[in-house]
Amino acid sequence: MTVNVYAGTGPCTGAEILAATDDLWTRSVIGPSWTGPGRLLPGAVCYGTGTPDEPDGSLTAIGDPHAVAELVARVLADRAEPPYLVTVPRGTEVPGAQSTAQEWELLALHDAPPPQPAEERVVPVTMEAGAEITALLTAASPEHSVRPGAPEAELWAGIRNPDGTLIAVGAMVRKPGTALRSLASIATAPAHRGRGLAAAVTAQLARRALQRDPSCCVLALDSTNHNARRVYHRLGFRTVQEFTTVEFDTW
């Protein structure tokens, strides 16, 4: 991942950000028409990744850690109040942060994964099953990032028991205006783990994502989830970036 030299330090557009960096995480969340808050410095870019109502409530900064630290310090100094969360490359100092919310990493897949034994059981899951998806994610992955009904979820897929019970699920996600797909909210019911179901769902979703954009698909992984990392690595995903998300005391 690189961030090219940029002469200005003021607000920037999505097109300017994408011209400055080949960072895969950025390309999965920002398209050329993106208009949220963003700033560039030589070697670093910082942009809002919060909610539509409060886009700068959460910030992400990528690039060289020293340049990122300088840019984040400038952005924070210009604000009356800090954001709730700031995400930076692992090892970057963030002034004023109260605690580490999460250490996570971005995994990327460039080639179709090997076929998985349970992959023939993976089927689309429609939004009529939203309550089932929510119940499964609540039980199996409480910190899931994408919920049923989220407009960025292009496809939900899963595996059902012979009795029809949903026992594994995942989503293929495309943010508005982007081409790069990401996978999210992959979970298996606790009673059915260890049977390769998550690998099958992930493989099928990754296959679909690469059919739509053959360049790459990505997923974010909590760095403490070693079991999931082994599954994803077996499918061909590789860690391309490590991040830390820090919290601020905004109350």
Side-chain angles (χ1 to χ4, degrees), residues 127-211:
M127 280 305 90
E128 285 73 17
E132 284 184 281
I133 297 173
T134 298
L136 174 54
L137 291 175
T138 300
S141 181
E143 301 299 319
H144 56 275
S145 59
V146 176
R147 295 171 174 79
E152 66 268 26
E154 284 192 324
L155 172 68
W156 287 91
I159 294 175
R160 293 185 178 277
N161 246 354
D163 66 2
T165 304
L166 187 67
I167 56 175
V169 76
M172 181 176 70
V173 174
R174 182 173 73 89
K175 297 282 188 180
T178 67
L180 193 64
R181 268 78 179 178
S182 60
L183 310 186
S185 296
I186 299 168
T188 302
H192 296 274
R193 288 173 179 164
R195 305 177 188 178
L197 304 186
V201 170
T202 303
Q204 183 59 219
L205 288 171
R207 222 176 292 286
R208 298 287 190 92
L210 291 172
Q211 287 171 355

Side-chain angles (χ1 to χ4, degrees), residues 17-73:
I17 291 173
L18 294 175
T21 179
D22 59 1
D23 175 64
L24 291 176
W25 177 249
T26 300
R27 291 180 176 275
S28 74
V29 296
I30 287 179
S33 61
W34 178 89
T35 57
R39 288 179 67 178
L40 285 158
L41 273 183
V45 59
C46 180
Y47 51 87
T49 46
T51 64
D53 292 337
E54 198 173 6
D56 62 349
S58 174
L59 300 176
T60 295
I62 56 94
D64 173 78
H66 296 292
V68 168
E70 179 184 351
L71 179 54
V72 170

Side-chain angles (χ1 to χ4, degrees), residues 66-93:
H66 296 292
V68 168
E70 179 184 351
L71 179 54
V72 170
R74 291 192 188 191
V75 170
L76 295 178
D78 289 343
R79 295 171 58 110
E81 294 183 354
Y84 302 108
L85 300 170
V86 174
T87 295
V88 293
R90 190 83 52 85
T92 304
E93 300 249 352

Side-chain angles (χ1 to χ4, degrees), residues 9 34 39 91 99 109 135 147 177-178 187 202 209 213 222 242-243 251:
T9 60
W34 178 89
R39 288 179 67 178
S99 61
L109 179 72
R147 295 171 174 79
T178 67
T202 303
D213 180 357
D222 185 319
E242 294 182 322
F243 292 98
W251 298 98

